[in-house]
Amino acid sequence: ATSMSQTTFASGTMTKIDYDQKISQLEANITKFEEDRVFILNDLEKLEGDTHAFMELSSALKMKLKAKEEQIEQIKKNLDEFAEKLSNQERELMGLTSKDSERKLKMAESDELANLR
């Protein structure tokens, strides 16, 4: 039948059976393509919805990231201020300790002098 169909198409004439088969095949292809089109449209709608959701999520994450970066900067600033305070206290203690040591040394020297007399 296939070789006969090809022969009839080549000669330009078509039997009713060949015509009906061709119409049936074309209609089946159209139905299949329409079904595929519906699936593609559904997928496209889902993708557009997902894209919108991802854009919102991306925006929210960018805002959270910016807030965390600002928190980090504030913590670094607080850390620097705390380190500076500790350094100042250390210098102050060193000053007090050296003054105290000098005073103790002077007292010890005067005690030694007193003992020598």
Side-chain angles (χ1 to χ4, degrees), residues 32-64:
K32 174 73 173 115
F33 290 158
E34 286 175 345
E35 289 172 356
D36 289 348
R37 181 179 171 275
V38 169
F39 286 126
I40 291 169
L41 283 173
N42 287 338
D43 288 347
L44 184 59
E45 286 178 13
K46 287 178 189 172
L47 183 60
E48 287 174 348
D50 290 348
T51 301
H52 182 70
F54 281 123
M55 287 175 63
E56 287 181 358
L57 179 61
S58 175
S59 294
L61 289 174
K62 285 177 184 177
M63 288 173 55
K64 282 185 176 183

Side-chain angles (χ1 to χ4, degrees), residues 72-87:
I72 289 169
E73 285 302 313
Q74 185 60 45
I75 290 171
K76 284 181 178 180
K77 183 179 174 186
N78 291 347
L79 181 62
D80 289 344
E81 289 172 1
F82 184 70
E84 188 177 337
K85 285 180 184 177
L86 283 178
S87 180

Side-chain angles (χ1 to χ4, degrees), residues 23-36:
I23 291 294
S24 177
Q25 181 184 5
L26 290 172
E27 287 174 346
N29 285 344
I30 289 171
T31 301
K32 174 73 173 115
F33 290 158
E34 286 175 345
E35 289 172 356
D36 289 348

